[in-house]
Amino acid sequence: MSNGQAIKDDFSRALEIVLKLEGGYSDDPRDAGGKTNHGITEKVARAFGYSGDMRELTKQTAAEIYKQGYWLNCKCDKLRYPLSLYVFDAGVNQGTDAAKKMLQAALGVAQDGLIGAVTLAAASKAGDDVANTFMALRALRYTGTRSFDVYGKGWFRRLFIVTRAGEK
């Protein structure tokens, strides 16, 4: 902390990256997510009790949703950084169920989508190769996504940005 900057916890570091990638309000008719702000879709915001206009969803409310619905849901608090960042970002952009199963595939454990003792034990022993494999699985999954022709280049760009951010 000698440079005057506070040390951020892993969630804060990851959230900062995701918020930059997600941007502000959007209502792109090509995006199945519909009205979105800070990367939070209206459907997700409503599920977490937000009843206001999506244009007015604050970063603080988005952060609370991200922490409960994505970070803790995917057990990122139990993963070492940068794997925690990669799984968190996958949960946000590709869905939490997919993120959990890709993590399990990268770790070589049963892909049941439940992050329990077996998955966490394997993750605790994982090296950089698992993080790299996880990101490769993300890329492969994108290629099979319905709107890859529209968003694919942006999704791959996101992977490179997140990977570089995780290396810092």
Side-chain angles (χ1 to χ4, degrees), residues 36-99:
T36 303
N37 200 350
H38 307 296
I40 303 294
T41 65
E42 185 170 32
K43 180 180 178 182
V44 168
R46 301 291 180 243
F48 279 85
Y50 180 75
S51 60
D53 185 313
M54 285 303 292
R55 285 181 179 87
E56 297 172 12
L57 182 87
T58 65
K59 280 187 179 180
Q60 180 59 39
T61 299
E64 291 167 13
I65 293 170
Y66 278 134
K67 185 147 196 185
Q68 294 303 314
Y70 298 86
W71 185 262
L72 296 175
N73 182 356
C74 290
K75 304 283 196 254
C76 296
D77 60 319
K78 309 279 189 222
L79 303 174
R80 285 192 304 246
Y81 199 87
L83 185 58
S84 59
L85 163 65
Y86 300 164
V87 173
F88 174 58
D89 185 63
V92 170
N93 195 243
Q94 295 174 286
T96 55
D97 289 340

Side-chain angles (χ1 to χ4, degrees), residues 18-40:
V18 166
L19 286 173
K20 283 180 186 173
L21 289 166
E22 290 295 339
Y25 180 78
S26 173
D27 191 8
D28 183 345
R30 299 171 302 167
D31 187 345
K35 294 178 184 175
T36 303
N37 200 350
H38 307 296
I40 303 294

Side-chain angles (χ1 to χ4, degrees), residues 98-157:
K100 292 172 191 178
K101 289 179 181 175
M102 287 186 290
L103 172 61
Q104 291 172 322
L107 291 167
V109 299
Q111 296 175 51
D112 61 6
L114 303 172
I115 306 299
V118 172
T119 302
L120 293 174
S124 73
K125 299 173 193 158
D128 291 342
D129 59 320
V130 169
N132 295 336
T133 299
F134 180 82
M135 293 304 270
L137 291 170
R138 284 190 69 183
L140 289 171
R141 188 170 193 282
Y142 278 133
T143 64
T145 301
R146 179 175 25 116
S147 49
F148 182 76
D149 59 328
V150 176
Y151 299 111
K153 189 176 4 175
W155 289 333
F156 278 6
R157 182 178 171 273

